[in-house]
DNA sequence: GGGCGAGAAACCTAAGTATGATTCCCCGGT
DNA sequence: ACCGGGGAATCATACTTAGGTTTCTCGCCC
């Protein structure tokens, strides 16, 4: 073992993990070696259940799955993850797949569907693409989550005002619409800006867009 | 022929066309009948070149392609269309395809990849999905195009001011940044609002987002 | 009592409009 | 080559409206 080994991905300069799910240990080992050779961290699983029951680290990652697995198949696992709202990119491998399978996998959002035997480089390319996509998705998600947290701290009235402000109404119009004095709208509005951490109205409008606020 | 035949899709209530590209005329006729039976308009082509050289109508539509075609293959055509920035949804059919082909097609954005023989209903489902997606894409595109047209009428200065306004700067800050008096900024700003047809600052910010305006 | 909503008064800043004027530059006509 | 017009940018003055903050006061309800 290399004492200088790092948990960080030397290729991308950021932490990332590849989850390998295959019932054949020799295949898992071979893939693990391949990924480790380019500085990627690897976790191995022998079945879909094993992966579903483990707690996945919160870093950019991807799944490398055999289609045929004991218990849940790779495609079943893909469906389960989607149902659980887990959007980790998936790369499928198969020795005996068919076209409908590959189409189903790709429609389900898979990054790639490789037929064995495949070239190591093809697998690496797909994994790199997958991890890059996951990193981007995580960043986007993080931004929205942060906004939503701030949004949670708003009172009902403040949310109402936010929606109308984002819709472009003037304070007096908002006041008429919700039946309060204009000064009250100003106070709510000021609180909304502070709570949301918006530095300008433009900022606030963009935030409202991101968390999908619209007037009913 | 039904004298009450309409150019409008009876199923979706909106005009739409299916382009069928296959070198086998009997296949084309069969597909055309299938699509017409549910009220879809159909145009047939014997080769990729035929389709590329014809002017496609500007309505929600999709492509049904055989992978194997004389001249450009279905996959080549997909690539050509993407290069030409034509984003019409594609459904592939094949009698002798393989997994890498289907994966390539799906990665290229295909809606589906059907192996012959397929059930009529599967084809219809895919076509309906494709047309729905195209209609949505067209609507989104139309909105952005309209905005861009308005944006084109702005002078350089006005665009500069728009970018800074959308970034949330105050008039005085914008004035300092571009080295003019605050009153001048106000004038530009007013013109921007008028030319863009924005009814409020919130409106303008959303427009700027849509056409991808950001401060350098 | 404390959080929340509402609001009055006072005050200040920011934004928007109207009018008029100046300068620069390009374009077309003579 | 000379002249006039028009668009664009700039700015001043003068006002009006909108937005925002602070302080204090109520009323409500858990």
């Amino acid at each position: 073992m290399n004492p200088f080994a790092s948990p960080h991905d030397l290729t991308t300069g950021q932490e990332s993990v590849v989850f390998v799910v295959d019932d054949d240990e020799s295949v898992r080992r071979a893939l693990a070696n391949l990924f480790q050779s380019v500085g990627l961290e690897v976790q191995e699983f022998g079945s879909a259940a094993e992966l579903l029951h483990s707690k996945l680290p919160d870093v950019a990652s991807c799944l490398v799955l055999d289609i045929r697995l004991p218990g849940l198949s790779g495609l079943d696992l893909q469906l389960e993850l989607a149902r659980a709202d887990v959007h980790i990119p998936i790369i499928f491998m198969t020795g005996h797949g068919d076209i409908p399978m590959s189409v189903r996998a790709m429609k389900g959002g898979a990054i790639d569907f490789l037929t064995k035997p495949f070239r190591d480089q093809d697998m690496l390319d797909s994994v790199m693409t997958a991890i890059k996509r996951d990193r981007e998705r995580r960043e986007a998600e993080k931004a929205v989550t942060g906004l939503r947290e701030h949004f949670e701290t708003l009172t009902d009235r403040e949310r109402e005002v936010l929606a109308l402000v984002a819709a472009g109404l003037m304070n007096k119009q908002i006041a008429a619409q919700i039946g309060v004095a204009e000064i009250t709208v100003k106070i709510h509005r000021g609180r909304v800006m502070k709570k949301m951490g918006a530095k300008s109205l433009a900022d606030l409008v963009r935030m409202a867009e991101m968390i999908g606020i619209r007037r009913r």
Side-chain angles (χ1 to χ4, degrees), chain A:
Chain A
M1 265 229 244
N2 179 355
F4 300 108
S6 143
H8 296 269
D9 172 1
L10 302 175
T11 307
T12 63
Q14 297 192 236
E15 202 172 359
S16 47
V17 184
V18 180
F19 303 108
V20 176
V21 188
D22 196 306
D23 61 333
D24 183 337
E25 198 194 331
S26 67
V27 172
R28 292 205 304 268
R29 292 309 311 150
L31 284 170
N33 282 334
L34 172 62
F35 298 141
Q36 282 159 354
S37 75
V38 295
L40 288 164
E41 195 179 333
V42 179
Q43 279 186 34
E44 301 176 29
F45 301 91
S47 71
E50 246 181 76
L51 179 121
L52 284 170
H53 293 147
S54 77
K55 198 153 80 317
L56 302 183
D58 186 26
V59 297
S61 50
C62 73
L63 266 180
V64 175
L65 299 194
D66 199 303
I67 285 281
R68 188 180 39 74
L69 288 173
L72 283 183
S73 77
L75 289 172
D76 293 335
L77 176 54
Q78 181 185 34
L79 208 60
E80 280 311 305
L81 290 172
R83 254 201 267 276
D85 216 47
V86 175
H87 299 293
I88 177 170
I90 300 176
I91 293 151
F92 286 100
M93 326 174 266
T94 180
H96 307 284
D98 54 27
I99 290 182
M101 249 182 213
S102 70
V103 171
R104 183 178 152 200
M106 296 304 287
K107 277 191 190 173
I111 294 289
D112 211 338
F113 191 101
L114 301 171
T115 51
K116 295 177 188 173
F118 47 78
R119 280 175 300 166
D120 284 358
Q121 193 54 50
D122 287 344
M123 175 60 86
L124 287 177
D125 287 347
S126 290
V127 165
M128 287 308 182
T129 300
I131 285 180
K132 178 159 173 283
R133 183 175 305 186
D134 196 42
R135 177 152 36 242
E136 287 162 358
R137 194 193 55 76
R138 278 167 184 280
E139 273 167 25
E141 185 126 335
K142 192 163 50 172
V144 177
T145 299
L147 286 185
R148 244 184 260 286
E149 277 168 16
H150 285 145
F151 183 69
E152 293 302 325
T153 71
L154 298 183
T155 66
D156 286 351
R157 254 304 192 237
E158 285 162 358
R159 290 175 200 192
E160 212 173 345
V161 171
L162 169 53
L164 296 169
V165 167
L169 274 69
M170 287 186 308
N171 287 341
K172 65 167 67 168
Q173 295 176 306
I174 297 171
Q177 182 124 4
I178 66 180
V180 300
E182 189 183 340
I183 181 70
T184 307
V185 173
K186 289 183 179 180
I187 292 168
H188 286 314
R189 186 173 177 154
R191 271 205 265 274
V192 168
M193 294 288 288
K194 209 172 298 289
K195 285 187 179 178
M196 295 299 291
K199 292 179 302 301
S200 66
L201 176 57
D203 234 24
L204 192 68
V205 171
R206 270 187 293 269
M207 289 178 179
E209 280 290 290
M210 277 207 264
I211 57 183
I213 289 175
R214 41 194 40 81
R215 219 175 354 154
R216 64 238 130 262

